């Protein structure tokens, strides 16, 4: 057999043929593998830049625009309400139009933008935060409308406007603060979508290196073929070389153009003028959309290059098809393994860069909790949730707001209820028990754990338990500074100016005044009358109730009443020189209270009210379970059980880490528990906390907050009645307010039955 006419010059022995054929096969393999790796690296690198080209203008920037529009509309609505209600002739306008047409237009725009923001948000936990915000906006709107209804009384009107502004602008937990949190998280997503991460940069470096290697291999193969086969050039390989050479000059400018456009979009998304809004970003990015088709071109180019390499080399390999090549299965297997490993590494790199560099958090085993605790109370409760998460490997999304009723209703209506809601009143629990979206009965969930609760703390509605008290607080007490003289009784005798009283509290503004009246009525008339009143069985216009209001009015005369309307409930006794006494529950404690303050019962400070047997008013936060089925429900049930355990209570009662580092041994915000065997504070280390705990666990009869046990409409009417009365305290205003409250009671009064839970022990 003679050698082909195209065989290279020189010896034509078997060794020469074997070496050439083996070299060609190896070079073909290397070229194909390098082509695959280079194209894969280019696909990965280009995707790292282009992945946000559709998402940024199509969702992320619009979502941020909706949040900005909501914030702007709310600020403008507050200005519009103030202008309308304080302008000349405002009384006539308010009577006809509430807070005015401009306010209504702005608040409607805010609700519309907020709904769109909730539907499109890209923030982690963004929907839960925005659902909470929607409830707070409803609370804000309610307060503005209350201000409009109170237009005839400037003091009351201005008090409601102040409470509304506080709801909107409060640090950390106000409406605007929550919107800011969502916006910051969305900005983080936008940064990730528009800024190449280190993996993308690494992919570009790898792609350029592989591109250079592939170009060199193609040129070197051409040189070898020209020398060995005496041909000027190989057409297919020349075409592959040209295609590879053109790849970077095309891809790199396109990627840089996309990156520049994305950077512009990121800057424009946080701009304040209309020229840099979502529409402008969408229009600007539309011109670059064709650049996102480059990945398909990269794939096509890789296929063409591979095909040209095979077409260019296969005929040369075929020229040596009759050569006797020694078989070496081990070498073939090792070559196959090497190729497989390299391809697997490329796939891993592609997957990592394609998904790991993109912020798309997807949580498994996540449940949501809604409660009224904010600020330091929230910080301490989060420690309990962290302990649960570490034990059960479930993430918890916690939302805390004082407008819990509005938030929970908003989330229930939106079909996104929290898995667990911790409600601050029995009345709210009862409202949801009788609704279309009731919480679950807890007996099958808690089982034997319910035996650790007394009847006051695991109330029964129609014989069933839907809520348990996870923490409690002591009311019927007065705080004072024992270092000051005279004592609390002498200070109280000076009049209402000595009291640190504030009525502000978002949609529930007025509740500190209801606490005053409840405590007075309990001490004057006893637990039986108190329980009947709470259940709606006593009239507001005669007997024990007017008597309690008269005592309240004797303390809060004109000037103290005006001061109480102007202040928020959270003002502190030891932070003010203008007042020396505070009628507030044990949750008023902070580190200065546990170091300096003392408390005593209200009847000791106001002996004139001590007409009935001694009793204490208390409050509790009741946990309810809304999760219905599936994995989330199981995780929520675990959390419900965990909250009733001594393990959770110990975590909750611990001194915070930052305080421990300062060698502080007391926990000023320590919660109090009502289950048998619950941890108690050390009297030596925690003087005030131990005193509160002893009183809560003592033999003196205890009654839950009466307004908390009332139907929600009655409770809100009571709170508004307190504010209305304080705007002009006196007998005439009292008669007017009590007549209004009696009318509400009669409208709500139905046949009394066994379904009502107990209010007093």
């Amino acid at each position: 057999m003679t050698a082909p006419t195209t065989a290279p010059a020189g010896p034509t022995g078997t060794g020469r043929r074997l070496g050439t054929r083996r070299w060609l096969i190896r070079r073909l393999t290397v070229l194909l593998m390098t082509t695959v790796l280079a194209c894969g690296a280019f696909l990965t690198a280009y995707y790292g830049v282009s992945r946000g080209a559709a998402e940024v203008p199509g969702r992320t920037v619009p979502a941020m625009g909706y949040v900005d529009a909501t914030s702007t509309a709310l600020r403008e609505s507050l200005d519009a309400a103030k202008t309308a209600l304080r302008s000349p002739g405002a009384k006539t306008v308010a009577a006809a139009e509430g807070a005015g047409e401009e306010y209504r237009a702005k608040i409607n725009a805010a609700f519309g933008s907020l709904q769109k923001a909730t539907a499109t948000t890209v923030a982690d936990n963004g929907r839960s935060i925005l659902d909470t915000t929607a409830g707070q906006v409803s609370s804000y709107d309610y307060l503005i409308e209350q201000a409009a209804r109170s237009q005839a009384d400037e003091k009351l009107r201005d008090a409601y406007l102040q409470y509304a502004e506080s709801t909107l602008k409060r640090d950390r937990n106000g409406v605007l603060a929550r919107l800011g949190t969502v916006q910051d998280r969305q900005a983080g997503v936008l940064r990730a979508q528009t800024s190449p991460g280190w993996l993308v940069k690494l992919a570009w470096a790898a792609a350029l290196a592989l591109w250079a290697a592939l170009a060199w291999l193609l040129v070197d193969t051409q040189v070898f073929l020209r020398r060995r086969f005496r041909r000027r050039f190989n057409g297919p390989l020349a075409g592959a070389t040209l295609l590879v050479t053109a790849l970077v000059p095309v891809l790199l400018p396109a990627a840089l153009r996309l990156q520049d456009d994305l950077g512009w979009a990121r800057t424009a998304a946080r701009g304040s003028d209309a020229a840099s809004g979502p529409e402008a970003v969408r229009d600007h990015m539309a011109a670059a959309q064709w650049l996102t088709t480059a990945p398909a071109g990269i794939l096509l180019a890789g296929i063409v290059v591979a095909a040209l390499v095979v077409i260019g080399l296969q005929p040369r390999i075929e020229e040596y098809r009759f050569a006797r090549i020694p078989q070496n299965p081990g070498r073939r297997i090792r070559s196959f393994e090497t190729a497989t490993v390299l391809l697997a590494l490329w796939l891993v790199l592609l997957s990592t860069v394609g998904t790991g560099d993109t912020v798309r958090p997807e949580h498994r085993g996540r449940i949501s909790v809604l409660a009224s605790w904010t600020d330091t109370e929230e910080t301490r409760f989060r420690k309990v949730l962290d302990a649960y998460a570490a034990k059960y490997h479930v993430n918890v999304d916690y939302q805390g707001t004082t407008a819990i009723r509005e938030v929970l209703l908003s989330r229930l209506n939106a079909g996104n209820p929290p898995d667990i809601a911790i409600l601050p009143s029995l009345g709210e629990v009862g409202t949801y028990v009788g609704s279309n979206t009731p919480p679950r009965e807890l007996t099958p969930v808690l089982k034997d754990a319910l035996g650790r609760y007394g009847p006051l703390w695991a109330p029964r509605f129609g014989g069933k338990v839907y809520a348990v008290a996870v923490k409690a607080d002591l009311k019927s007490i007065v705080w004072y500074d024992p270092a000051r003289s005279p004592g609390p009784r002498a200070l109280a005798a000076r009049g209402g100016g000595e009291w640190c009283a504030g009525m502000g509290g978002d949609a529930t503004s007025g509740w500190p005044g209801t606490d005053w009246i409840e405590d007075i009525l309990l001490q004057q008339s006893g637990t039986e009358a108190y329980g009947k009143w709470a259940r709606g069985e006593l009239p507001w216009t005669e007997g024990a109730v007017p008597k309690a209001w008269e005592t309240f009015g004797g303390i809060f005369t004109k000037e103290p009443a005006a001061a109480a309307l102007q202040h928020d409930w959270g003002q502190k006794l030891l932070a003010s020189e203008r007042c020396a006494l505070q009628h507030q529950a044990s949750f008023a404690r902070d580190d200065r209270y546990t170091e300096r303050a003392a408390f005593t019962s209200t009847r000791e400070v106001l002996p004139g009210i001590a007409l009935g047997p001694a009793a204490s008013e208390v409050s509790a936060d009741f946990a309810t379970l809304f999760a219905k089925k599936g994995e989330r429900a199981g995780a929520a049930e675990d959390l419900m059980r965990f909250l009733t355990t001594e393990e959770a209570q110990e975590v909750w009662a611990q001194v915070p880490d930052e305080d421990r580092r300062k060698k502080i041994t007391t926990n000023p915000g320590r919660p109090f528990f009502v289950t048998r065997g619950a941890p108690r504070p050390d009297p030596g280390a925690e003087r005030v906390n131990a005193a509160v705990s002893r009183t809560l666990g003592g033999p003196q009869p205890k009654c839950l907050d009466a307004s908390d046990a009332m139907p929600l409409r009655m409770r809100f009417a009571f709170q508004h009645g307190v504010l209305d009365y304080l705007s002009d305290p006196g007998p005439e205003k009292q008669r007017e307010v009590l007549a209004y409250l009696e009318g509400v009671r009669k409208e709500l009064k139905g046949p009394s039955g066994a379904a009502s839970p107990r209010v007093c022990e």
Side-chain angles (χ1 to χ4, degrees), residues 4 88 136 174 259 278 372 383 419 424 467 507 513 552 557-558 577 593 632 655:
Q136 287 184 289
Q259 189 60 59
S372 61
K383 290 180 61 178
D419 297 301
F552 177 65
T557 53
K558 190 171 184 179
E577 295 297 327
Y593 276 53
R632 288 171 65 98
V655 177

Side-chain angles (χ1 to χ4, degrees), residues 615-688:
S616 295
E617 183 185 4
V618 296
S619 65
D621 293 281
F622 293 93
T624 57
L625 179 64
F626 281 89
K628 300 299 183 185
K629 58 184 178 180
E631 184 180 356
R632 288 171 65 98
E637 290 171 6
D638 288 337
L639 178 55
M640 283 292 296
R641 287 187 286 267
F642 184 72
L643 291 175
T644 68
T645 64
E646 292 183 34
E647 179 185 357
Q649 293 166 348
E650 290 282 3
V651 172
W652 210 343
Q654 285 175 358
V655 177
D657 295 338
E658 58 273 19
D659 290 346
R660 208 177 299 139
R661 286 191 290 269
K662 299 175 185 176
K663 308 214 183 290
I664 297 174
T665 58
T666 61
N667 182 357
R670 185 195 197 283
F672 302 103
F673 310 110
V674 293
T675 51
R676 285 192 289 274
R680 310 294 181 198
D682 179 4
E686 298 188 77
R687 170 185 60 86
V688 170

Side-chain angles (χ1 to χ4, degrees), residues 74-87 90 98-100 102-104 106 140 144-145 147-148 151 157 161 164:
L74 287 171
R75 288 190 178 93
E76 292 176 349
S77 74
L78 180 62
D79 293 338
K82 288 181 176 179
T83 300
L85 295 178
R86 291 173 175 168
S87 63
E102 185 177 356
Y103 166 77
R104 185 46 54 192
K106 296 297 183 183
Y140 160 79
I144 292 292
E145 292 303 324
Q151 184 62 35
R157 177 204 66 193
L161 285 174

Side-chain angles (χ1 to χ4, degrees), residues 4-9 20-21 23-24 221-232 234 313 315-317 319-320:
T5 57
T6 57
T20 300
R21 188 171 189 272
W23 188 94
L24 289 171
T221 303
Q222 285 274 31
V223 171
F224 176 83
L225 293 178
R226 181 178 180 181
R227 187 172 61 246
R228 183 60 55 90
F229 292 94
R230 305 291 185 183
R231 291 185 178 178
R232 195 164 187 179
N234 184 300
L313 289 182
R316 306 286 78 80
I317 295 172
E319 291 178 4
Y320 292 92

